Amino acid sequence: MTRAVDEVYLGVDVGTTYTKIQIVDADGNTVALSSRATPWERTAGVTILTPDRLLDEVFQHLETVLDDHPARRVVGIGLTGFGETGVPLGAQGDVLAPGLPWYDLHGADQLDRLAVSLGREAFTGSSGLPLNLKPSLFKFAWLAGRYAPLSRWVRWLSIQEWLAFRLTGTIAGEASLASRTGLLDVVSGHQSAETSAWAGVPPTLLPDRVGAGTSIGRVTTGPARIHGAQVTIAGLDHLVAAVGLGALDDTDLVDSCGTGEAIIRHLPERPWNALSLVDAVNRELSVGRDVFPGRLQAMASVRSGIGMGRFLKLMGIQRDELPALDQAALAVVPRVDGPRVSNVWLDQAQLTNIDYEPDRAEVWRAVIEAVQERAAYLVHQLDVVAGIPARRRIMTGGGLTSHAVREIKRRYLGDYELPDISEATSLGAAHFARMAAGAIPPIRITGSSSDAAVDNAFDRSHRAPVDPADHLASVPGGREDQR
C-alpha cells in the first residue's frame, strides 16, 4: 500500500514545440501532466537548442510539477523525444556545439557529396533512412566549421541521452535514437565504419547502447526530490507513444496525427539485410531499431496537419467554425469534375477544378480525401515490408479532433481504435521508468513472426490503395516527406 501511494514515475518528452512531463503512480495511472515550451533560441538566423538551458528548464518544470504532490517520492524517470537533435561531446564530456532541430536545412552540400562518394544505396542499405537532410550526420560538417572541429569530437549524444548523462553521470545510448543519426548500421546494430569514415568521425562516436527500460544509473543532481531515482533512455518519441497506447504486437499499427503524421509498425523477427532496407526506403518508408532490443521498426511520415491547415487559412476558417465545416464536408457527394487537391503534404500543394461558385465544404472534403488516400498508400507499403498485414489500427493525436478527418480516415483505413489518452509519448516514457525501477516486468513485443507475402493483404473492404507507380508519378518530390 505504501508503495502505491507514495512512489511515482516520471515520463519526460522533449518535443519539437513542447516538453511534457507526466507523473504516474505504481499502477501506471496518471497523477499529473504538464507542458512547457521547449526552449529553442534564434541566433544569427539559426534555430538552436542550448543543452544547459534545456536542462535548467526541465529542472524548473520538474520542481513546479512536483510541488503540487509533496508526499510523492520519484523512483524512476524515462526520457524520450525526437531523435535527430543531438550534441557532440569532447574528451571531458563538454558540449562542443548546440543542438539543431530536425527541420534545419544546413548540410545540403553533404547530401550531394555522400551520393557521389558513398552512394545512395550504400547509405540507405546501412541506415534504413532516405537521403534527405533529417539525419544528424549531414549537419556535422556545418557544426564543425562553426563551433568545434571534428578532431575534437569524442561522442555524439541525442538530447535525451545527454539529459540522462547530466542526471546520472553515465554516458549511454539507445538504439532507436541512434537510428536517427544516419551513422548506425540498422541490421548489425553497430556504428557503420564506412559512413563514419565518410563523415570524418571516430567509429566510436555513438556510445554503447542499452535497451529502453534499462536503468543507466540514479539521479545525482537537480532537485532533491528526484535524487536517487532510476533513469532510463526510453527512446524515439513515436515508438514510445506506441507503448503508451498499448501497441505491443507486431501486427499493431499506430497512426499519430498532428502537425505531421507518423505511421508506425513494429517489424516481425526475421532476417533483414541491406536489400530489405533499400526496398523499404524505395517504398517511401524508413527502417530503424525499435525501442525493444533486437527488433526493427518501419515508419512513414506525412505532413498532414500543417498541409491541411493552409487550406483552412486560405478559406478563412476559424477554429470554432471547423465543426460546421466538417458536417458540411461529410454531406458532400464527391463529383468527378469537382475540386481536386494534390500534394497536400508537400511545400507546394495544388487545388484544381474549382468552378465559378466554389464550395468550401467541397474543397475541405477534397483536402481530407487527398491526405487519407496518401495514408492508405503508406499503410499498404508498411504491410508489404512487414510481410504481414496490420490487424489492429490505433489512432492518436490532435489531428483527429476534426470529425470529418476521423470519419473519412475510417473509410480509407478501416476500423480503428481511438484511445482516450492525451499524451501517449510521455505516458510510454513513464511506463519505461516503471520498468527501470523494477515496478513492472520488462515490456515486450508479442505476435507472429510470419514472413508470408502480403502483396494483396491490404484490407479492401473500404477502398483499395492506388497503384504505387501511378501514385508516385503524381507526387513530384514525394520522398521529401520520409522520416
Side-chain angles (χ1 to χ4, degrees), residues 12 19 21 26 61 88 166 226 250 262 280 332 368 377 409 436 482:
V12 180
T19 295
I21 295 177
H61 195 176
R166 288 300 306 272
I226 64 174
D250 61 20
V332 165
I368 299 173
Y377 166 80
K409 182 175 284 290
Q482 289 170 285

Side-chain angles (χ1 to χ4, degrees), residues 126-436:
S126 171
S127 69
L129 299 173
L131 193 59
N132 61 29
L133 287 174
K134 288 180 182 175
S136 313
L137 72 89
F138 294 118
K139 312 296 192 302
F140 287 1
W142 186 85
L143 289 171
R146 183 156 180 159
Y147 295 99
L150 293 174
S151 59
R152 292 182 56 197
W153 291 25
V154 175
R155 293 289 191 207
W156 175 271
L157 300 185
S158 73
I159 284 297
Q160 296 73 28
E161 293 163 348
W162 183 83
L163 287 172
F165 165 50
R166 288 300 306 272
L167 287 172
T168 66
T170 300
I171 289 181
E174 190 280 328
S176 68
L177 293 168
S179 293
R180 308 307 298 175
T181 65
L183 286 176
L184 192 72
D185 184 292
V186 169
V187 173
S188 72
H190 301 301
Q191 184 174 331
S192 167
E194 292 78 8
T195 307
S196 300
W198 171 85
V201 298
T204 55
L205 190 70
L206 300 180
D208 291 340
R209 288 160 292 286
V210 298
T214 299
S215 174
I216 68 164
R218 295 180 181 272
V219 177
T220 59
T221 187
R225 294 281 304 280
I226 64 174
H227 282 202
Q230 303 281 0
V231 175
T232 186
I233 306 164
L236 187 65
D237 48 7
H238 297 306
L239 305 173
V240 176
V243 172
L245 294 166
L248 298 174
D249 189 280
D250 61 20
T251 60
D252 290 343
L253 177 141
V254 172
D255 187 345
S256 179
C257 309
T259 304
E261 186 168 348
I263 311 173
I264 308 155
R265 282 286 304 269
H266 305 292
L267 293 178
E269 286 187 294
R270 69 165 186 262
W272 299 93
N273 56 37
L275 291 178
S276 306
L277 302 190
V278 170
D279 176 65
V281 172
N282 286 340
R283 293 178 182 275
E284 301 188 81
L285 310 177
S286 66
V287 176
R289 287 270 159 167
D290 208 328
V291 292
F292 302 98
R295 301 296 295 257
L296 301 185
Q297 50 77 22
M299 187 183 308
S301 180
V302 189
R303 297 178 196 171
S304 55
I306 192 171
M308 296 168 71
R310 67 180 129 190
F311 285 92
L312 295 176
K313 292 177 184 177
L314 180 68
M315 296 186 291
I317 300 296
Q318 303 300 314
R319 182 181 295 271
D320 59 355
E321 297 176 295
L322 185 58
L325 181 63
D326 277 346
Q327 287 301 119
L330 288 172
V332 165
V333 177
R335 298 179 288 128
V336 174
D337 60 347
R340 181 172 176 80
V341 174
S342 56
N343 298 335
V344 179
W345 53 90
L346 298 182
D347 290 339
Q348 303 294 326
Q350 293 85 42
L351 170 62
T352 56
N353 282 15
I354 52 173
D355 52 28
Y356 288 113
E357 297 294 334
D359 181 79
R360 295 194 299 183
E362 273 197 310
V363 171
W364 184 231
R365 175 65 178 253
V367 170
I368 299 173
E369 294 263 356
V371 170
Q372 302 318 315
E373 182 178 271
R374 172 71 169 169
Y377 166 80
L378 293 171
V379 166
H380 177 65
Q381 298 306 319
L382 284 165
D383 281 351
V384 171
V385 168
I388 185 170
R391 295 171 185 157
R392 180 184 177 216
R393 298 180 175 95
I394 305 168
M395 306 291 153
T396 187
L400 295 168
T401 54
S402 163
H403 179 55
V405 169
R406 293 197 304 273
E407 290 303 308
I408 295 172
K409 182 175 284 290
R410 195 179 304 276
R411 296 174 191 179
Y412 274 84
L413 299 186
D415 288 336
Y416 59 79
E417 301 172 27
L418 186 59
D420 185 19
I421 297 174
S422 59
E423 288 293 343
T425 307
S426 56
L427 178 60
H431 288 331
F432 277 122
R434 295 167 68 210
M435 176 180 158

